[in-house]
Amino acid sequence: MVDLKDLLTVRQVADQSPGITENKLRWWIFHAETSGIAPALVRIGGRVYIDRAEFNRWLEGQRMAPKADRAA
């Protein structure tokens, strides 16, 4: 269940996230199915909101493995 207090606009997420621009977020949203961010999106009318908890889970899943682990 989505908590309304956890829904943010694209601009709010970009403002609160160092290194993540509004344009980059919009690119991820446009390519939501291939980027994997779709579970974090809530579409109401023509607006897109981002569920903060789901976005953080998705972002954590994007971490790259340390170099030692990638070589194995």
Side-chain angles (χ1 to χ4, degrees):
M1 184 167 158
V2 175
D3 186 351
L4 294 177
K5 291 181 265 177
D6 284 342
L7 293 182
L8 301 171
T9 65
V10 171
R11 180 170 290 162
Q12 288 172 321
V13 172
D15 288 345
Q16 296 176 14
S17 306
I20 297 177
T21 65
E22 195 172 331
N23 285 338
K24 188 61 179 177
L25 275 169
R26 292 188 187 286
W27 189 91
W28 287 334
I29 291 167
F30 185 78
H31 298 284
E33 295 304 319
T34 55
S35 70
I37 200 172
L41 304 179
V42 177
R43 296 177 192 270
I44 301 173
R47 304 231 9 161
V48 176
Y49 297 93
I50 299 172
D51 181 333
R52 182 189 325 223
E54 285 295 325
F55 177 74
N56 287 337
R57 273 191 280 282
W58 174 80
L59 195 58
E60 185 65 31
Q62 303 307 305
R63 283 184 186 243
M64 293 179 61
K67 287 185 180 186
D69 291 345
R70 283 188 271 161

